[in-house]
Amino acid sequence: MEHTHGDNMSEVPTDGEISRIIEAASEQGATKELVVRLLADTGMRLSTLLEIDESWLESGIIHIPEEDTKVEEGRSVPIQDEDTQEFVEAWFSVHSELDISRTTAYRYVKKAGEGAGLDKEVTPMALRRYVAEDLK
């Protein structure tokens, strides 16, 4: 079943495509890989991801403060994939926060999709919907 969203009509990536997107992002740089891994693993909103800092992380769980959520209610989001959990912990052992703009993060995701050789546009929302589909 194809799913579309908004004007960009991006399709939800398959499991195999997600693996290719993560691999492409890893070849493009650690921060790019972090953005793609977290969006594809947790399904968090891009705006929330851009606020993340090391104080949110605890034993493979991201504790999102209420002021950084759309519904202004704090929540905890587990990192499902063990490789992603290890990568996130390693990245934040060197960096205290993700200091990039929304446009840059969007471009990271799009470039990773292109690097994976996909025929469809990959967006942060497509990665969010991938997680939502997985939860059904």
Side-chain angles (χ1 to χ4, degrees):
M1 178 189 321
E2 274 187 34
H3 299 275
T4 58
H5 177 77
D7 295 331
N8 65 18
M9 304 300 278
S10 61
E11 298 173 39
V12 176
T14 65
D15 290 345
E17 289 170 338
I18 288 292
S19 295
R20 289 169 46 201
I21 294 165
I22 290 171
E23 183 178 332
S26 73
E27 293 169 359
Q28 295 169 5
T31 302
K32 294 172 180 73
E33 183 176 356
L34 177 80
V35 169
V36 169
R37 279 186 174 276
L38 281 174
L39 290 173
D41 187 280
T42 66
M44 71 173 68
R45 288 182 171 85
L46 181 58
S47 58
T48 302
L49 174 70
L50 294 174
E51 297 298 322
I52 195 170
D53 69 51
E54 64 183 333
S55 69
W56 292 17
L57 302 171
E58 180 186 4
S59 303
I61 297 175
I62 301 170
H63 299 283
I64 304 170
E66 64 183 54
E67 61 270 12
D68 291 307
T69 67
K70 184 175 182 178
V71 294
E72 296 182 0
E73 185 175 300
R75 67 179 180 279
S76 297
V77 179
I79 299 173
Q80 304 292 330
D81 180 73
E82 192 174 313
D83 289 339
T84 297
Q85 184 176 335
E86 290 173 9
F87 185 86
V88 169
E89 289 172 3
W91 195 91
F92 277 103
S93 72
V94 177
H95 307 275
S96 61
E97 63 184 10
L98 181 60
D99 188 23
I100 60 172
S101 70
R102 181 178 191 84
T103 302
T104 297
Y106 192 95
R107 189 171 41 241
Y108 286 176
V109 173
K110 186 176 178 183
K111 294 281 186 194
E114 291 170 1
L118 303 185
D119 290 334
K120 55 185 154 191
E121 181 180 25
V122 178
T123 65
M125 182 54 79
L127 298 182
R128 181 171 164 78
R129 289 188 359 263
Y130 167 77
V131 176
E133 286 292 311
D134 202 40
L135 296 175
K136 285 185 178 178

